[in-house]
Amino acid sequence: MKYIGFVLCFFCISLCVPSWASMPATKKELVVVIPKKSSPRFRYGVDSLTRTLRLAGYKVDVDSSGFDKKHKHRSLLIGKSTDFPNQRRPVSVEVKEGFHIDLNGTTGSIQALDDSGILYGTLKLIEVIQENDGTLPTTFQLEDQPEMVLRGTAIGIQKTHYLPGRTVYEYPYTPQEFPWLYDKKQWIRYLDMLLENRYNSLYLWNGHPFASLVRLSDYPYAVEVDDETFKKNEAIFRFITEEADKRGIWIIQMFYNIIIPKPFAEKHQLKTQDRNRPIIPIIADYTRKSIAAFVKKYPNVGLLVTLGEAMEGVGQDDVDWFTKTIIPGVQDGLKHLGLYEEPPIVLRAHDTDAPRVMAAALPLYKNLYTMAKYNGEALTTYTPRGKWADLHRTLSKAAPVHIENVHILANLEPFRYGSPDFIQKSVQAMHKVYHANGLHLYPQASYWDWPYTADKIDSTGTQRLRQIDRDGLWYKAWARYAWKADREKGIENDYWSGIFAQQFGLSKEAGLAVLKSYEEMGEIAPKLLRRYGITDGNRQTLSLGMFMTQLINPYRYGLFTLLYESEAPEGEMIIDYARKEWNKESHKGETPVQVANEVEEHGRKAVQWIDAIAAKVQNHREEFERIRNDMHCYQALANFYAAKARAAISVLRYKYSNDIADLQQALPHLEESVEHYRKLADRTRNSYWYANSMQTTQRKIPIRGVDGKYKSWDELLPLYEAELFHFRQQLDSLKQAPRRTDGMHNQLHAVEVKLENNDLTYYPLEKEALPYSDEGDAILDLAPDLIGLKGIRTNRNQQRDTLTTLHFSTKRPVKLLVGYFKQKDLAFGTERKKNGYAPAPDLEHDASANDYGQSEVFIANAMEIQHHPAVDIHSYSFDAGTHSLSLPKGLLLLLGFIDGNEELKNYDANVGVSLDERNIDWLFE
């Protein structure tokens, strides 16, 4: 299906032929003078300009004999500053990618420092000609240069699901899995879009691309694709890089660590990835040689390195891996080519102590860039602060280029988003708060489903919208402000209203109404997540809503506090607001009630503006109606959250008051929230295939999603209706008698499992038992469910310094219960381990944190142990057989095995919790 959802009128004639191009020739003559030698990028810009001029009726000759020759016709000299030795150099010509245009009578010039500047200068002159009805102005002067050094987008060569026998990020490059990867016409369209918007980099994301692109003589069996596919991969990669280079676009290949190819892993009896595995020499050797081979084969392609996530990212291992494997691999490749200039390596500051890594690496390799997430895996604020802002500023000082990664956007899926105002302020914050000078932009939605969107065009799915068509506004807005962030609001209103007017055949005034609708809508998702959310990560799908227990007891669901401490304005969570209200304390910053009121108003205005001009639309009516539907969806979503937040505040008041009247006040708000959600389900039923493009076990909030389940609003609506029904039942019960909450929730029974570790022994779980063989701190209290199970006694001092590795065999499926001591969420750096406790499974930093179904808390506040924080229990599932499990360094508790087929009820046991902080989740479960 061919459809252009956003105006992409580009200089390239193959994309858009202006009306004046069909006018009769006027025999205007022009000589374009260029240097004797020029690069493909230089010639690409010149060819585009001459093609435009000829279509406008000019007779154009291109003279490459030099700049000294005199011409009887009007001439345009195009060259680098060194080609104009006797002329004054404008300031813009001293800056990479900057350019200067000077048209004055019979002679004009385009000057630049480099080939990209020449390219951008010629493109700018094309725009001037198009705006001037196909005429080259007699007099015109302009100089311009970008503010962001790197301005790039990302494409994931990944899938919405896991491939058979593989896990997260493991996707070989094959025509079967990625047919779009081999579509040259689509690549040209995308690269043209990037050039139109002056992007100069493109990041290709994949877990381990080397096994699809290079072959090693030492490890020939490591290649993951057949010979025919390997040749296709070589050809398409060469095509992409050459075409990108013409357009001034630097291709950067991203990879994770440590991931190894499946055939390599099988041959050496290793896992393809194991976060707790130490660095193994054969893996290091293979990886170093893979990187060297890649650099030799593609010396102009950059590398983006993610140290953490697939390896334990905070410690000496990530430093060693970067300095002893990755950097030497790049240097080996350069040495083989006889090159001495270091190409940039981009270090991604995710799940790693990036400042420590940089300090160790800079003496070995100088040309290092850094990258960190702007608002995590979401878009939440243009006022970032706190420790995350400190990290960005530290990295900005350490590297010549620090890149802001606008990553995943889990809170924007699947609806359209394109608020120029919010985006402009975000880019300004990148400069002023983070001190960054680079942009890395993810697709606005459906990252895992590239190149398609979630829009439902027909009932069969045979017709799919493409992201490049639907989300042109997203790419255009970020690019505009990456080039120049500080632009006057009135000028911007005029610019964007003109864009919308052209797109939909509207007046400028009506185009402004579309802009205002987008900007009202643009505040809703950021405010909702930063004030009510559990995490900034993609384990939460904001548009699917949240359950009441997640609003009133967020710590039970692994609350990621960095979201509130750094990626939001100063303010309060719902639980903080309710406590302050009860204690009659003053509130500070942005409050949940304030946001509830604001998002309702944003939704009302967004719908009002878009509905007001609906009848005036002349062009692209189908896309306009999709945008309009999205505005109504956002209004329903905003109203759902606002009503539910008000219900949560009343419910939390009951926790302190024990007054059923507080619960009765919550009931109409909860009923209202379900009605708004029903409207959302109605509006999305025939317009979207899914809410989130990642449909794996990593999705947790509002509910676990796997194998494509719970990805639509129709699937969630019955659960919210059931939540309301249960709450009504509890209200009726409470009118008759008080509710006890301290009983047993699961009937757990110990299962005999043979331990292969000679130094480990079982002990009965009960009060006063000692969980450590070298420490006398006893269990003071524990959840009733746990009494009678058999814990595994470990050595405390060994746990602090080494991985806890458990070897065992079982004749039946079992679950292992592991207790993690509760800690304040520390998001990055060495602080995450300084207190000596092992980190709990954490999908924010570890994509493998649910490989055994362990990421959710099974029993929160399950145990109280002398001189230690409270304990949360997670369960790890295993089939019958022999197993080996490595757990992270630091103190934890092995609490024994239970039946693997047991259906477990997750809950908060409230052990050691004060009365006014007791759990009241039972009201909704």
Side-chain angles (χ1 to χ4, degrees), residues 215-259:
R215 193 189 307 274
L216 305 179
S217 58
D218 290 348
Y219 304 100
Y221 51 85
V223 177
E224 292 193 290
V225 298
D226 59 45
D227 289 345
E228 182 182 356
T229 300
F230 189 82
K231 291 177 182 177
K232 288 182 178 180
N233 291 344
E234 288 181 313
I236 195 64
F237 211 73
R238 189 178 302 111
F239 173 82
I240 294 167
T241 54
E242 289 176 355
E243 291 297 324
D245 184 66
K246 291 179 189 175
R247 294 163 175 80
I249 298 165
W250 181 35
I251 300 296
I252 303 170
Q253 179 67 64
M254 175 271 180
F255 62 100
Y256 285 94
N257 291 284
I258 303 172
I259 297 179

Short mmCIF file of all heavy atoms in Angstrom, two decimals, residues 215-259:
data_model
loop_
_atom_site.label_atom_id
_atom_site.label_comp_id
_atom_site.label_asym_id
_atom_site.label_seq_id
_atom_site.Cartn_x
_atom_site.Cartn_y
_atom_site.Cartn_z
N ARG A 215 33.36 -13.65 8.43
CA ARG A 215 33.73 -15.06 8.60
C ARG A 215 35.18 -15.11 9.08
O ARG A 215 36.06 -14.47 8.50
CB ARG A 215 33.58 -15.81 7.27
CG ARG A 215 33.64 -17.32 7.38
CD ARG A 215 33.70 -17.98 6.01
NE ARG A 215 32.65 -17.54 5.13
CZ ARG A 215 31.43 -18.08 5.09
NH1 ARG A 215 31.12 -19.07 5.91
NH2 ARG A 215 30.53 -17.64 4.24
N LEU A 216 35.44 -15.87 10.15
CA LEU A 216 36.78 -15.96 10.73
C LEU A 216 37.41 -17.31 10.40
O LEU A 216 36.77 -18.36 10.57
CB LEU A 216 36.70 -15.79 12.25
CG LEU A 216 36.01 -14.53 12.78
CD1 LEU A 216 36.00 -14.54 14.29
CD2 LEU A 216 36.70 -13.28 12.26
N SER A 217 38.64 -17.27 9.98
CA SER A 217 39.33 -18.53 9.66
C SER A 217 39.51 -19.39 10.90
O SER A 217 39.50 -20.63 10.82
CB SER A 217 40.69 -18.23 9.02
OG SER A 217 41.50 -17.44 9.90
N ASP A 218 39.70 -18.74 12.07
CA ASP A 218 39.87 -19.50 13.31
C ASP A 218 38.56 -20.08 13.83
O ASP A 218 38.57 -21.06 14.59
CB ASP A 218 40.48 -18.60 14.39
CG ASP A 218 41.92 -18.25 14.09
OD1 ASP A 218 42.51 -18.88 13.19
OD2 ASP A 218 42.47 -17.35 14.76
N TYR A 219 37.45 -19.46 13.45
CA TYR A 219 36.15 -19.90 13.95
C TYR A 219 35.13 -19.93 12.80
O TYR A 219 34.11 -19.23 12.84
CB TYR A 219 35.65 -18.96 15.06
CG TYR A 219 36.60 -18.81 16.22
CD1 TYR A 219 37.44 -17.70 16.31
CD2 TYR A 219 36.67 -19.78 17.22
CE1 TYR A 219 38.33 -17.55 17.38
CE2 TYR A 219 37.55 -19.64 18.28
CZ TYR A 219 38.38 -18.52 18.36
OH TYR A 219 39.25 -18.38 19.41
N PRO A 220 35.35 -20.72 11.79
CA PRO A 220 34.44 -20.73 10.62
C PRO A 220 33.03 -21.18 10.99
O PRO A 220 32.06 -20.79 10.34
CB PRO A 220 35.11 -21.69 9.66
CG PRO A 220 35.98 -22.57 10.51
CD PRO A 220 36.46 -21.69 11.63
N TYR A 221 32.92 -21.99 12.03
CA TYR A 221 31.62 -22.52 12.45
C TYR A 221 30.77 -21.48 13.18
O TYR A 221 29.60 -21.73 13.48
CB TYR A 221 31.83 -23.72 13.39
CG TYR A 221 32.79 -23.45 14.52
CD1 TYR A 221 32.37 -22.85 15.70
CD2 TYR A 221 34.15 -23.79 14.39
CE1 TYR A 221 33.26 -22.60 16.73
CE2 TYR A 221 35.04 -23.54 15.42
CZ TYR A 221 34.60 -22.94 16.58
OH TYR A 221 35.47 -22.68 17.61
N ALA A 222 31.32 -20.32 13.46
CA ALA A 222 30.58 -19.30 14.21
C ALA A 222 29.59 -18.53 13.35
O ALA A 222 28.71 -17.85 13.88
CB ALA A 222 31.56 -18.33 14.87
N VAL A 223 29.72 -18.61 12.01
CA VAL A 223 28.79 -17.89 11.14
C VAL A 223 27.39 -18.47 11.32
O VAL A 223 27.20 -19.68 11.33
CB VAL A 223 29.23 -18.00 9.67
CG1 VAL A 223 28.22 -17.33 8.75
CG2 VAL A 223 30.61 -17.37 9.49
N GLU A 224 26.39 -17.60 11.44
CA GLU A 224 25.03 -18.04 11.77
C GLU A 224 24.12 -18.16 10.56
O GLU A 224 22.95 -18.52 10.71
CB GLU A 224 24.40 -17.08 12.78
CG GLU A 224 25.06 -17.14 14.15
CD GLU A 224 24.24 -16.43 15.20
OE1 GLU A 224 24.16 -15.19 15.15
OE2 GLU A 224 23.70 -17.10 16.09
N VAL A 225 24.62 -17.82 9.36
CA VAL A 225 23.77 -17.86 8.17
C VAL A 225 24.45 -18.71 7.10
O VAL A 225 25.67 -18.93 7.14
CB VAL A 225 23.51 -16.43 7.64
CG1 VAL A 225 22.76 -15.61 8.67
CG2 VAL A 225 24.81 -15.74 7.26
N ASP A 226 23.67 -19.18 6.14
CA ASP A 226 24.24 -19.99 5.07
C ASP A 226 25.01 -19.11 4.08
O ASP A 226 24.96 -17.88 4.14
CB ASP A 226 23.15 -20.79 4.36
CG ASP A 226 22.05 -19.92 3.75
OD1 ASP A 226 22.38 -18.91 3.11
OD2 ASP A 226 20.87 -20.25 3.94
N ASP A 227 25.72 -19.74 3.15
CA ASP A 227 26.60 -19.00 2.24
C ASP A 227 25.83 -18.01 1.38
O ASP A 227 26.29 -16.88 1.14
CB ASP A 227 27.36 -19.99 1.34
CG ASP A 227 28.43 -20.76 2.12
OD1 ASP A 227 28.75 -20.34 3.24
OD2 ASP A 227 28.92 -21.78 1.59
N GLU A 228 24.68 -18.43 0.88
CA GLU A 228 23.90 -17.53 0.03
C GLU A 228 23.45 -16.29 0.79
O GLU A 228 23.54 -15.16 0.30
CB GLU A 228 22.69 -18.27 -0.54
CG GLU A 228 21.85 -17.41 -1.48
CD GLU A 228 20.63 -18.16 -2.00
OE1 GLU A 228 20.48 -19.36 -1.68
OE2 GLU A 228 19.84 -17.53 -2.74
N THR A 229 22.97 -16.50 2.01
CA THR A 229 22.55 -15.37 2.84
C THR A 229 23.73 -14.49 3.22
O THR A 229 23.62 -13.26 3.24
CB THR A 229 21.84 -15.88 4.10
OG1 THR A 229 20.70 -16.64 3.74
CG2 THR A 229 21.41 -14.72 4.99
N PHE A 230 24.86 -15.12 3.49
CA PHE A 230 26.07 -14.35 3.83
C PHE A 230 26.42 -13.39 2.69
O PHE A 230 26.74 -12.21 2.93
CB PHE A 230 27.22 -15.30 4.11
CG PHE A 230 28.45 -14.64 4.67
CD1 PHE A 230 28.55 -14.34 6.02
CD2 PHE A 230 29.51 -14.29 3.83
CE1 PHE A 230 29.68 -13.72 6.53
CE2 PHE A 230 30.64 -13.67 4.33
CZ PHE A 230 30.73 -13.39 5.69
N LYS A 231 26.35 -13.88 1.46
CA LYS A 231 26.65 -13.02 0.30
C LYS A 231 25.63 -11.90 0.18
O LYS A 231 25.97 -10.76 -0.16
CB LYS A 231 26.69 -13.87 -0.97
CG LYS A 231 27.87 -14.82 -1.04
CD LYS A 231 27.81 -15.69 -2.30
CE LYS A 231 28.98 -16.67 -2.32
NZ LYS A 231 28.90 -17.58 -3.51
N LYS A 232 24.36 -12.22 0.44
CA LYS A 232 23.34 -11.18 0.40
C LYS A 232 23.59 -10.12 1.47
O LYS A 232 23.40 -8.92 1.22
CB LYS A 232 21.95 -11.81 0.61
CG LYS A 232 21.44 -12.61 -0.56
CD LYS A 232 20.04 -13.15 -0.27
CE LYS A 232 19.50 -13.92 -1.47
NZ LYS A 232 18.14 -14.45 -1.20
N ASN A 233 24.02 -10.56 2.64
CA ASN A 233 24.31 -9.62 3.71
C ASN A 233 25.47 -8.71 3.35
O ASN A 233 25.45 -7.49 3.61
CB ASN A 233 24.62 -10.38 5.01
CG ASN A 233 23.40 -11.07 5.59
OD1 ASN A 233 22.27 -10.76 5.21
ND2 ASN A 233 23.63 -12.00 6.50
N GLU A 234 26.50 -9.28 2.76
CA GLU A 234 27.64 -8.47 2.32
C GLU A 234 27.19 -7.43 1.31
O GLU A 234 27.57 -6.25 1.38
CB GLU A 234 28.71 -9.36 1.70
CG GLU A 234 29.49 -10.22 2.68
CD GLU A 234 30.55 -11.05 1.98
OE1 GLU A 234 30.23 -11.67 0.94
OE2 GLU A 234 31.69 -11.06 2.47
N ALA A 235 26.38 -7.87 0.36
CA ALA A 235 25.96 -6.96 -0.71
C ALA A 235 25.08 -5.83 -0.18
O ALA A 235 25.28 -4.66 -0.54
CB ALA A 235 25.22 -7.75 -1.80
N ILE A 236 24.11 -6.16 0.68
CA ILE A 236 23.21 -5.11 1.16
C ILE A 236 23.92 -4.18 2.12
O ILE A 236 23.67 -2.96 2.13
CB ILE A 236 21.94 -5.71 1.80
CG1 ILE A 236 20.86 -4.64 1.95
CG2 ILE A 236 22.23 -6.35 3.14
CD1 ILE A 236 20.36 -4.07 0.64
N PHE A 237 24.84 -4.70 2.91
CA PHE A 237 25.58 -3.84 3.83
C PHE A 237 26.47 -2.87 3.05
O PHE A 237 26.58 -1.69 3.40
CB PHE A 237 26.41 -4.69 4.80
CG PHE A 237 26.59 -4.07 6.14
CD1 PHE A 237 25.55 -4.01 7.05
CD2 PHE A 237 27.80 -3.51 6.51
CE1 PHE A 237 25.72 -3.43 8.30
CE2 PHE A 237 27.98 -2.93 7.76
CZ PHE A 237 26.94 -2.89 8.65
N ARG A 238 27.08 -3.38 2.00
CA ARG A 238 27.91 -2.51 1.14
C ARG A 238 27.03 -1.44 0.48
O ARG A 238 27.40 -0.26 0.43
CB ARG A 238 28.62 -3.36 0.10
CG ARG A 238 29.67 -2.59 -0.70
CD ARG A 238 30.37 -3.51 -1.70
NE ARG A 238 31.00 -4.66 -1.03
CZ ARG A 238 30.58 -5.91 -1.15
NH1 ARG A 238 29.52 -6.18 -1.89
NH2 ARG A 238 31.20 -6.89 -0.53
N PHE A 239 25.86 -1.84 0.00
CA PHE A 239 24.95 -0.90 -0.64
C PHE A 239 24.51 0.19 0.33
O PHE A 239 24.55 1.39 0.00
CB PHE A 239 23.72 -1.65 -1.17
CG PHE A 239 22.63 -0.77 -1.69
CD1 PHE A 239 22.69 -0.26 -2.98
CD2 PHE A 239 21.55 -0.44 -0.88
CE1 PHE A 239 21.68 0.57 -3.46
CE2 PHE A 239 20.53 0.38 -1.35
CZ PHE A 239 20.59 0.88 -2.65
N ILE A 240 24.10 -0.21 1.53
CA ILE A 240 23.62 0.76 2.52
C ILE A 240 24.72 1.76 2.87
O ILE A 240 24.48 2.97 2.92
CB ILE A 240 23.11 0.03 3.78
CG1 ILE A 240 21.89 -0.80 3.47
CG2 ILE A 240 22.80 1.03 4.89
CD1 ILE A 240 21.52 -1.78 4.58
N THR A 241 25.91 1.26 3.13
CA THR A 241 26.99 2.14 3.57
C THR A 241 27.41 3.11 2.46
O THR A 241 27.70 4.28 2.72
CB THR A 241 28.20 1.33 4.05
OG1 THR A 241 28.59 0.40 3.03
CG2 THR A 241 27.85 0.56 5.31
N GLU A 242 27.43 2.63 1.21
CA GLU A 242 27.82 3.51 0.10
C GLU A 242 26.77 4.58 -0.15
O GLU A 242 27.10 5.75 -0.35
CB GLU A 242 28.05 2.67 -1.16
CG GLU A 242 29.31 1.82 -1.10
CD GLU A 242 29.48 0.93 -2.33
OE1 GLU A 242 28.55 0.92 -3.18
OE2 GLU A 242 30.51 0.24 -2.43
N GLU A 243 25.50 4.18 -0.15
CA GLU A 243 24.44 5.15 -0.38
C GLU A 243 24.34 6.15 0.77
O GLU A 243 24.06 7.33 0.57
CB GLU A 243 23.10 4.44 -0.58
CG GLU A 243 22.99 3.66 -1.88
CD GLU A 243 23.08 4.56 -3.11
OE1 GLU A 243 22.56 5.70 -3.05
OE2 GLU A 243 23.67 4.14 -4.12
N ALA A 244 24.56 5.66 1.98
CA ALA A 244 24.53 6.57 3.14
C ALA A 244 25.67 7.57 3.06
O ALA A 244 25.49 8.76 3.35
CB ALA A 244 24.62 5.76 4.43
N ASP A 245 26.84 7.11 2.67
CA ASP A 245 28.00 8.00 2.61
C ASP A 245 27.77 9.14 1.62
O ASP A 245 28.16 10.28 1.87
CB ASP A 245 29.24 7.21 2.23
CG ASP A 245 30.49 8.07 2.25
OD1 ASP A 245 30.89 8.52 3.34
OD2 ASP A 245 31.06 8.32 1.17
N LYS A 246 27.14 8.85 0.50
CA LYS A 246 26.83 9.91 -0.47
C LYS A 246 25.99 11.00 0.18
O LYS A 246 26.08 12.17 -0.19
CB LYS A 246 26.04 9.34 -1.65
CG LYS A 246 26.79 8.41 -2.57
CD LYS A 246 25.84 7.93 -3.65
CE LYS A 246 26.43 6.83 -4.50
NZ LYS A 246 25.43 6.30 -5.47
N ARG A 247 25.14 10.61 1.11
CA ARG A 247 24.20 11.54 1.73
C ARG A 247 24.72 12.10 3.05
O ARG A 247 23.96 12.67 3.83
CB ARG A 247 22.86 10.84 1.94
CG ARG A 247 22.17 10.46 0.63
CD ARG A 247 21.09 9.42 0.84
NE ARG A 247 20.33 9.14 -0.38
CZ ARG A 247 20.74 8.36 -1.37
NH1 ARG A 247 21.91 7.74 -1.27
NH2 ARG A 247 20.00 8.18 -2.45
N GLY A 248 26.02 11.91 3.31
CA GLY A 248 26.60 12.46 4.53
C GLY A 248 26.18 11.73 5.78
O GLY A 248 26.18 12.32 6.87
N ILE A 249 25.83 10.45 5.65
CA ILE A 249 25.31 9.68 6.78
C ILE A 249 26.32 8.61 7.17
O ILE A 249 26.75 7.81 6.34
CB ILE A 249 23.95 9.04 6.42
CG1 ILE A 249 22.93 10.13 6.09
CG2 ILE A 249 23.45 8.15 7.56
CD1 ILE A 249 21.70 9.62 5.37
N TRP A 250 26.68 8.61 8.43
CA TRP A 250 27.64 7.65 8.97
C TRP A 250 26.87 6.46 9.54
O TRP A 250 26.06 6.62 10.46
CB TRP A 250 28.47 8.34 10.06
CG TRP A 250 29.52 7.50 10.71
CD1 TRP A 250 30.28 6.53 10.16
CD2 TRP A 250 29.95 7.58 12.08
NE1 TRP A 250 31.15 5.99 11.07
CE2 TRP A 250 30.97 6.63 12.27
CE3 TRP A 250 29.57 8.38 13.16
CZ2 TRP A 250 31.61 6.44 13.50
CZ3 TRP A 250 30.21 8.20 14.38
CH2 TRP A 250 31.22 7.24 14.54
N ILE A 251 27.09 5.27 9.00
CA ILE A 251 26.46 4.06 9.52
C ILE A 251 27.23 3.58 10.75
O ILE A 251 28.46 3.46 10.73
CB ILE A 251 26.44 2.95 8.46
CG1 ILE A 251 25.63 3.40 7.23
CG2 ILE A 251 25.85 1.66 9.03
CD1 ILE A 251 24.17 3.65 7.50
N ILE A 252 26.50 3.29 11.82
CA ILE A 252 27.11 2.83 13.07
C ILE A 252 26.43 1.53 13.47
O ILE A 252 25.20 1.48 13.63
CB ILE A 252 26.95 3.88 14.18
CG1 ILE A 252 27.56 5.22 13.74
CG2 ILE A 252 27.58 3.40 15.49
CD1 ILE A 252 27.24 6.37 14.67
N GLN A 253 27.22 0.48 13.62
CA GLN A 253 26.69 -0.83 14.00
C GLN A 253 26.77 -0.99 15.51
O GLN A 253 27.82 -0.87 16.11
CB GLN A 253 27.47 -1.95 13.32
CG GLN A 253 26.99 -3.34 13.68
CD GLN A 253 25.60 -3.64 13.16
OE1 GLN A 253 25.37 -3.68 11.94
NE2 GLN A 253 24.65 -3.84 14.06
N MET A 254 25.62 -1.27 16.12
CA MET A 254 25.55 -1.47 17.57
C MET A 254 25.59 -2.96 17.88
O MET A 254 25.12 -3.79 17.11
CB MET A 254 24.26 -0.84 18.11
CG MET A 254 24.02 -1.08 19.58
SD MET A 254 23.08 -2.59 19.86
CE MET A 254 22.98 -2.57 21.64
N PHE A 255 26.17 -3.32 19.04
CA PHE A 255 26.14 -4.70 19.50
C PHE A 255 26.17 -4.74 21.02
O PHE A 255 26.59 -3.80 21.68
CB PHE A 255 27.29 -5.52 18.91
CG PHE A 255 28.67 -5.04 19.29
CD1 PHE A 255 29.39 -5.67 20.30
CD2 PHE A 255 29.26 -3.97 18.63
CE1 PHE A 255 30.66 -5.25 20.64
CE2 PHE A 255 30.54 -3.54 18.97
CZ PHE A 255 31.24 -4.18 19.98
N TYR A 256 25.69 -5.86 21.56
CA TYR A 256 25.67 -6.06 23.01
C TYR A 256 26.85 -6.95 23.43
O TYR A 256 27.47 -7.61 22.63
CB TYR A 256 24.37 -6.74 23.44
CG TYR A 256 23.16 -5.84 23.44
CD1 TYR A 256 22.32 -5.77 22.33
CD2 TYR A 256 22.84 -5.05 24.54
CE1 TYR A 256 21.20 -4.95 22.32
CE2 TYR A 256 21.73 -4.24 24.54
CZ TYR A 256 20.92 -4.18 23.43
OH TYR A 256 19.82 -3.37 23.43
N ASN A 257 27.11 -6.96 24.73
CA ASN A 257 28.16 -7.80 25.30
C ASN A 257 27.65 -8.49 26.56
O ASN A 257 26.97 -7.86 27.36
CB ASN A 257 29.37 -6.95 25.68
CG ASN A 257 30.06 -6.40 24.45
OD1 ASN A 257 30.76 -7.11 23.77
ND2 ASN A 257 29.85 -5.14 24.16
N ILE A 258 28.00 -9.74 26.82
CA ILE A 258 28.71 -10.62 25.91
C ILE A 258 27.69 -11.57 25.31
O ILE A 258 27.11 -12.37 26.03
CB ILE A 258 29.80 -11.42 26.65
CG1 ILE A 258 30.77 -10.48 27.36
CG2 ILE A 258 30.50 -12.36 25.71
CD1 ILE A 258 31.77 -11.23 28.27
N ILE A 259 27.48 -11.50 23.98
CA ILE A 259 26.62 -12.43 23.27
C ILE A 259 27.48 -13.16 22.23
O ILE A 259 28.29 -12.53 21.55
CB ILE A 259 25.45 -11.71 22.59
CG1 ILE A 259 24.56 -11.03 23.65
CG2 ILE A 259 24.63 -12.67 21.74
CD1 ILE A 259 23.39 -10.28 23.08
#
